[in-house]
Amino acid sequence: MHYTFHQLQIFCKIVELRSITKASEHLNLTQPAVSIQLKNFQNQFPIALTEVVGRQLFVTDFGKEIAVAAQRILEESQTINYKTTAYQGKLSGRLKIASASTGKYVMPYFISDFFSSNPEIELFIDVTNKAKVVNSLENNEVDFALVSVLPDKLKLESVSLMSNSLYLVGSKAFNIEKRRSIKDLFEKTPLIYRENGSATRNAMEQFILKKGYKVNKKIELKSNEAVKQAVLANMGLSIVPLIGIKNELKNEELQIIPVKGLPLHTNWNLVWLSAKKLSPVALAYLEFIKDKKDSIIERDFQWVNDF
């Protein structure tokens, strides 16, 4: 057999995405180029790796076994590269981080300098909701996770990064003068929620429950950006992290609505499984965070003190 690493990479991506079109987009290749490489790879086997039923591509059982072996070969190749750069005195390897959705406004600042100083490192950041972040930790799929609420069921180590404050906000067009009370704000105005599994949604629900407000109009959206855009369009109010609305407040597109008991305060924490054996890259990043977090906050997040 004379397969190439390039063919292995393409085949693994096709298996992962179940689509030649999606694989070509992900790999920045043309669809014909991917199809040709798949055909050349297939020609080396007497048994079909994939089959097309209708317009849907399926991976055969044999193809799935070959994909597992191909992925193992690719990973071993990466290990050789990492060991080579390590022998040359360079830090190399993969760093995998799962981040709660709002963490996308935080995490880049706490990794940019480390990543720039270590160009041999491969970085993977999965931005999702809290429930999926916890699942990634539980399954040992990541080195670290960025969360604002520590999950109870896992034994974790953590480093506190910075505070996370949540405020009730409305668009500049929202006229608070017309509302008779804060109770009316929550009971007679549409409220915009994140989806179930979101830490922001949980904080918002706990606050409303504690106050005893009865929500009559509810809108549910699946991302912080979607919630922000809905508030900007004056569809309703929402309790959101301050970290995600800096520009909208600066441009006076959004307004913070003063409410007793708000803002809610939590902390962004970098967490990892207590039993996890951290890689050299992960250990180096942990030392970087402990050493540099205060200066990063001073440099990039002083603006939060204005609110």
Side-chain angles (χ1 to χ4, degrees), residues 26-244:
H26 190 277
L27 295 168
N28 294 316
L29 297 171
T30 65
Q31 187 171 333
V34 171
S35 296
I36 290 170
Q37 290 301 323
L38 175 61
K39 181 180 179 181
N40 291 340
F41 188 58
Q42 172 65 79
N43 288 341
Q44 300 181 70
F45 300 93
I47 304 171
L49 300 171
T50 63
E51 56 186 0
V52 177
V53 179
R55 300 183 65 180
Q56 180 68 43
L57 183 143
F58 294 89
V59 182
T60 65
D61 289 341
F62 177 68
K64 291 176 183 176
E65 291 189 19
I66 295 300
V68 171
Q71 187 61 46
R72 190 179 302 120
I73 292 170
L74 293 173
E75 289 174 355
E76 288 299 323
S77 174
Q78 290 173 335
T79 299
I80 291 173
N81 292 335
Y82 297 154
K83 288 184 180 297
T84 301
T85 54
Y87 193 79
Q88 293 173 320
K90 299 176 183 178
L91 188 64
S92 65
R94 289 183 176 183
L95 184 63
K96 296 182 179 180
I97 301 173
S99 172
S101 297
T102 314
K104 68 184 178 183
Y105 302 111
V106 175
M107 197 67 232
Y109 295 95
F110 284 94
I111 202 165
S112 176
D113 291 345
F114 180 77
F115 189 59
S116 298
S117 299
N118 299 281
E120 303 295 333
I121 289 174
E122 292 185 58
L123 175 64
F124 298 85
I125 301 180
D126 181 24
V127 179
T128 183
N129 66 31
K130 178 193 171 186
K132 292 181 179 179
V133 169
V134 173
N135 188 59
S136 295
L137 273 172
E138 193 170 19
N139 294 331
N140 197 29
E141 296 171 351
V142 294
D143 298 302
F144 300 106
L146 182 68
V147 294
S148 59
V149 179
L150 295 174
D152 296 326
K153 63 178 182 177
L154 299 179
K155 292 183 178 180
L156 301 172
E157 301 293 329
S158 67
V159 174
S160 179
L161 296 187
M162 59 177 288
S163 63
N164 179 42
S165 301
L166 296 90
Y167 290 80
L168 180 68
V169 298
S171 78
K172 65 177 181 180
F174 183 78
N175 189 349
I176 193 171
E177 300 292 334
K178 292 183 178 180
R179 303 305 191 270
R180 292 176 296 176
S181 68
I182 297 299
K183 188 172 185 287
D184 281 352
L185 285 175
F186 287 91
E187 296 191 348
K188 295 183 179 180
T189 306
L191 294 182
I192 304 170
Y193 288 76
R194 281 287 309 279
E195 81 283 7
N196 282 320
S198 161
T200 300
R201 179 190 178 117
N202 183 63
M204 184 171 173
E205 288 181 330
Q206 290 298 315
F207 175 78
I208 291 171
L209 180 64
K210 182 178 179 181
K211 291 293 185 179
Y213 299 144
K214 183 179 179 181
V215 178
N216 293 301
K217 298 179 181 180
K218 181 185 293 187
I219 300 169
E220 182 177 305
L221 298 171
K222 290 190 175 182
S223 73
N224 290 301
E225 204 60 34
V227 169
K228 182 166 64 177
Q229 292 302 320
V231 175
L232 284 166
N234 203 25
M235 292 176 63
L237 306 177
S238 188
I239 294 177
V240 301
L242 177 66
I243 199 72

Side-chain angles (χ1 to χ4, degrees), residues 106 109-110 113 161-163 243 246 289 291-306:
V106 175
Y109 295 95
F110 284 94
D113 291 345
L161 296 187
M162 59 177 288
S163 63
I243 199 72
K246 174 185 177 181
I289 284 296
D291 184 48
K292 301 294 185 180
K293 67 171 186 172
D294 291 339
S295 61
I296 292 171
I297 293 171
E298 177 72 25
R299 182 188 67 194
D300 298 313
F301 296 103
Q302 275 301 302
W303 64 270
V304 302
N305 297 323
D306 296 334

